[in-house]
Structure formats: C-alpha cells, structure tokens
Amino acid sequence: MLRTARTLVLTLSLLVGAAPPVSAETLADALIAAYRNSNLLAQNQAVLRAADENVAQAVASLRPVVAFVADGQYGYSEQLLDSGITVSAEDLFANYSVTAQMTLFDFGRTQLAIEAAKETVLATREALISIEQQVLLSAVSAFVNVRLQQEIVSLRENNVRVIGEQLRAAQDRFEVGEVTRTDVAQAEARLAEARANLVVAQGDLAIARENYRAATGSYPGALSAPPAPPRTADTLDAARSVALRTHPSIRQAQREVKAAELNVARARANLRPSIAAQAQLSVDQDGLQENGFGINFNQTIYSGGALSAALRQSMANRDASLAGLKQRGVEVAENVGTVWSNLDVADASITATEQQIAAAQIAFDGVREEASLGARTTLDVLDAEQDLLDARAARLSALAQRYIGIYQLLSSMGLLTVDHLDLGIPTFDPAAYYNAVRRAPTSVQGEKLDRIMKSVGND
C-alpha cells in the first residue's frame, strides 16, 4: 500500500528513543528466531510427513502382498482295549506356506486413492504455510509491542519525574505562602497516580517480554527500530485480488475439493468388481510340496447398503468441501477489508494525535507560564501535563497499530512468508520427505533417512 511520504516517515520513527547499540536485535532477527524455534511449525511439519506416508500406503496397494504362514497342530488320543490296556498316541502336524496376492484390475480405485492422497498432501502443505504466516505475524506483533511498552514506560518514568519536580515546587511555594495546602495535596495525589501508572506500564512491558519469548524462543535484548514496512497493494481491490489467488487457506480448500471429488470416484469404483492374482507355495511335515496359482474375480452382490451409503457420504463430503471453498473466499475477502479499514483508522489516528500533541504542548506551556504568574493553579498545570502525556502515548499506540497492520495486511493476502520477506535463511522443504517415501520404499533407514530428517529440521 503506497501512502504519503509523511506517513512513511512517521512509521519509520515508530518507537525510536535513544539510539540502540550496534548489536541490537532487529525485526528480521526476531522473525528468523520465530521461524526456527516454533513448536507449532515443527508440529505441523510432522503432520505433513504423516500425510506423505498416506501416499506411500496407497502406492503399496498396487504391489503384491507376500506372507509366510506356519501352521502347526498337536494331536493326542487315548484308547482302552478289550484287554484293559490303555493305548495313547500323539502326533505333531506342521505345514509351511508362502502366499502372494496382487490386485490386477479394480476399475482405478487404487489409483484414485493415490491421487486423493496426493491432493491431501498438497492441502496439508498449504495449511503449513498458514501456520508459517501465523508464527511470523506473532513475531512482528511481539517485537513492536515490546518497543511500544518500553516507550510507554519511558513516558511514565518521565511523568513521575516531572510531577515530582512540580510537587517540590509546590511545597516550596507553600512554605512562602504563594499556594495553599490544597495545591500541594493535588500534586501529591497526581504523583501517586503517576507512580501507579508507571507500575502498570512496567507490568505491560513484562507481559510483552513474555509474549516475545513465546513467539521467538528467548527474551528480547536491546531492540533496534523497525525497518521500513514491506509494500503490499495500492488499493483494496488489488489486495483482495491477490488474496483470492494466493492465500494458502483458499489453496488448501481447493485441494480439499479435488480430493473430495476423487473420493467420490473411488466410492463409485468400489461398486464394481476387482480381479486379483494369487500364488501359493506350501510344504507339509513330510516334505511334500504343493504349488498353486489362481485368478480371483470379486464382485460384491449385496453389502446391506454399505457401499451405497459410502457413495452418498463421499458426495456429501464433496458438497461440503465446495461450500467450504466458497466460504473461505468470503472470509479471506472480509479479512482483507477489515485489515485495510484498520490501517485507515490508524492513519487517521496518527494525524489526529499529532494535532493533539501540538495543541496539548501549546496548552501546557501556556498554563505553566500562567501558573508562574499566579493565574493558574497547580491542578491546571497537572491536568495540562497529563493531556500532553496521553496524546504522546496515543500517538505511539497508533504508530504501532499501523506498523503491525501492514504485516496483518500482508498476511491476509497470503504473502507473509519467509521467502516473500526475503529473510535469507534455509526454509523447510516440504518435498524432501515426500520424495523419499512417495514410492513406498521398503526402507529409508540409515544415512539416507538421517540426511532427509536433518534437511527438514529434525536432526
């Protein structure tokens, strides 16, 4: 979003107090730490790997299943002869066999299962991008809020100092009879209020520091001033257009619709027959060998309505996915509009608070001068000073709101990612694990798997 040069300068001046040391943490440092230390990202990366294995399992359905079977039986019997002698007998029977079975033709239901699993993987990848956006936005908010609360604390500390000086001046003037005891009491009350507000601000800073630790993995040190915010879009319509094309939640919903359509086709294929080949090699306890090979034709004639119910269920799920896709579009467009409006509000607040500060400064200077001449009371000075403080705090909050809002807009457009922000760090490769397991290898152990897991951040 292109704004006026004046607003950009104001945004760049966000929360800039004393010059931070050269080694101060930057916003980019916070974003990188958040990406690398996020348990939420690690959790959803594991969810994606689990989805990858669904493809491997579906691929395995096209391959033969080989099983070894050992069948043993022990027999024991007793017989009473006419002579009164009991004869017992026992025997041990053992058969061994190896069987192999493979589906030859099933009207594409297995291949459809593979394609549906692939679409689910792609949908899960988009969900992971949504989580990445969430993690990065939390880091931006935490960074800006720490700096905001630091500046609020600085304002409150200065307020305590100024009111303390005013209290001492009021006490001096009271001793020479220029003011009453009431003026001194008013200054004392305002000092106590200022100290209480300072404690509140310090508590807010402590909370902001905890939020920063939760977002990035460590407490903040000295934080540098935020850099110029990234560009977003020139107009609301342009922002919405980008969001509807690129937002990961919409892309996820599109993949879910495709998977649901494939599942409908699978349910229809389940109504049709399947052909499988079966081979068996068996050896009994006497060493006799028996081999066999056959073709099985399987057609369900009656299933109690289960197959028809499964088809209807898949169609209902497809309809739900289609409706969900439409709703995602509505929600994404709404969110873009809401964030855009909040930015307009922040811009207006910045302008208003600038005017408020200018007027409050003039009023404070005038009231203080008039008080020195006896035309104003101590309470008038304290009220004017409080108005100026409130205006400055409101401006800081508006600047922070606008800066965070720009990143919120970027997130609502689906562009708040490590790659788009060009943070210059290695990122999670969603295809690495998938490529290792998608063909359902019998083993991916040893050094190869170690390299894969290290590349996806699980070393």
Side-chain angles (χ1 to χ4, degrees):
M1 181 177 7
L2 299 179
R3 303 282 180 171
T4 63
R6 177 192 60 79
T7 304
L8 180 58
V9 170
L10 286 173
T11 302
L12 289 175
S13 67
L14 171 65
L15 309 182
V16 178
V22 177
S23 59
E25 299 175 36
T26 66
L27 177 58
D29 293 333
L31 291 170
I32 292 171
Y35 182 82
R36 287 176 172 171
N37 299 324
S38 173
N39 295 320
L40 191 59
L41 273 174
Q43 175 188 8
N44 283 271
Q45 288 165 3
V47 170
L48 177 58
R49 293 197 300 274
D52 293 342
E53 296 292 356
N54 287 334
V55 176
Q57 293 176 33
V59 168
S61 299
L62 292 174
R63 297 175 180 172
V65 177
V66 180
F68 172 76
V69 179
D71 180 19
Q73 182 177 356
Y74 173 75
Y76 176 81
S77 64
E78 291 185 350
Q79 182 179 6
L80 181 61
L81 301 179
D82 294 339
S83 61
I85 299 176
T86 301
V87 179
S88 61
E90 57 182 295
D91 199 358
L92 179 64
F93 302 91
N95 297 313
Y96 306 93
S97 63
V98 176
T99 63
Q101 185 171 353
M102 179 177 180
T103 300
L104 299 179
F105 184 70
D106 61 1
F107 286 89
R109 71 178 68 136
T110 302
Q111 188 60 46
L112 288 167
I114 295 172
E115 296 303 319
K118 289 180 179 179
E119 291 296 329
T120 301
V121 166
L122 295 175
T124 308
R125 290 183 185 180
E126 297 297 338
L128 182 59
I129 295 176
S130 293
I131 296 298
E132 179 181 342
Q133 291 204 137
Q134 177 183 336
V135 167
L136 296 180
L137 183 58
S138 294
V140 172
S141 298
F143 184 95
V144 174
N145 282 329
V146 167
R147 286 192 55 88
L148 170 62
Q149 297 307 324
Q150 287 173 340
E151 285 298 307
I152 296 296
V153 167
S154 179
L155 282 178
R156 296 299 182 188
E157 290 174 339
N158 185 65
N159 187 41
V160 169
R161 180 185 59 79
V162 170
I163 294 179
E165 293 174 354
Q166 291 173 346
L167 173 59
R168 287 190 291 272
Q171 290 171 335
D172 293 340
R173 294 175 67 189
F174 172 71
E175 290 177 357
V176 298
E178 293 183 2
V179 297
T180 67
R181 178 58 187 158
T182 301
D183 293 303
V184 176
Q186 289 172 339
E188 290 173 340
R190 284 300 176 89
L191 179 59
E193 180 184 6
R195 287 171 175 167
N197 289 335
L198 174 59
V199 172
V200 172
Q202 290 170 337
D204 291 340
L205 175 58
I207 293 172
R209 285 173 54 83
E210 293 297 334
N211 292 337
Y212 187 95
R213 180 175 181 272
T216 66
S218 62
Y219 287 110
L223 302 183
S224 65
R231 294 183 59 181
T232 53
D234 296 336
T235 65
L236 173 58
D237 289 340
R240 278 185 173 146
S241 178
V242 171
L244 293 174
R245 292 195 313 270
T246 65
H247 200 282
S249 68
I250 290 182
R251 291 185 172 182
Q252 178 186 355
Q254 290 171 337
R255 295 296 184 181
E256 290 170 348
V257 168
K258 182 62 176 178
E261 291 173 344
L262 290 167
N263 285 330
V264 171
R266 284 178 60 198
R268 287 199 176 99
N270 285 334
L271 299 173
R272 299 177 179 179
S274 63
I275 300 174
Q278 184 173 7
Q280 178 175 339
L281 169 63
S282 61
V283 179
D284 63 17
Q285 63 178 3
D286 298 324
L288 296 178
Q289 180 175 317
E290 181 179 354
N291 302 327
F293 177 80
I295 301 293
N296 297 330
F297 178 87
N298 188 340
Q299 170 65 67
T300 301
I301 298 176
Y302 178 72
S303 65
L307 294 179
S308 297
L311 175 58
R312 294 192 301 270
Q313 182 183 54
S314 65
M315 295 172 68
N317 287 334
R318 177 200 57 194
D319 295 342
S321 297
L322 287 168
L325 173 59
K326 294 178 182 179
Q327 182 60 25
R328 295 278 181 89
V330 171
E331 292 171 353
V332 166
E334 177 191 20
N335 191 36
V336 172
T338 299
V339 174
W340 191 277
S341 296
N342 288 338
L343 280 173
D344 288 339
V345 171
D347 282 338
S349 296
I350 291 171
T351 301
T353 53
E354 283 183 327
Q355 297 171 351
Q356 183 182 359
I357 289 172
Q361 185 67 60
I362 293 172
F364 175 66
D365 293 339
V367 169
R368 184 171 54 181
E369 181 65 25
E370 292 171 3
S372 66
L373 300 176
R376 292 281 184 169
T377 66
T378 300
L379 181 61
D380 293 332
V381 176
L382 293 173
D383 286 341
E385 197 272 339
Q386 186 64 46
D387 290 342
L388 179 58
L389 173 68
D390 291 343
R392 287 172 175 170
R395 177 178 177 273
L396 289 173
S397 297
L399 287 169
Q401 177 186 349
R402 185 182 187 280
Y403 194 87
I404 295 173
I406 292 174
Y407 283 88
Q408 289 174 333
L409 179 60
L410 203 65
S411 175
S412 71
M413 296 167 63
L415 300 177
L416 187 56
T417 64
V418 170
D419 290 338
H420 186 81
L421 295 177
D422 195 21
L423 295 180
I425 59 172
T427 57
F428 175 78
D429 182 4
Y433 189 85
Y434 174 82
N435 290 335
V437 301
R438 65 188 176 91
R439 298 188 182 277
T442 56
S443 175
V444 288
Q445 302 299 320
E447 295 181 359
K448 180 180 179 182
L449 181 57
D450 290 341
R451 290 195 302 271
I452 294 170
M453 298 302 290
K454 184 175 181 179
S455 70
V456 298
N458 291 275
D459 52 338

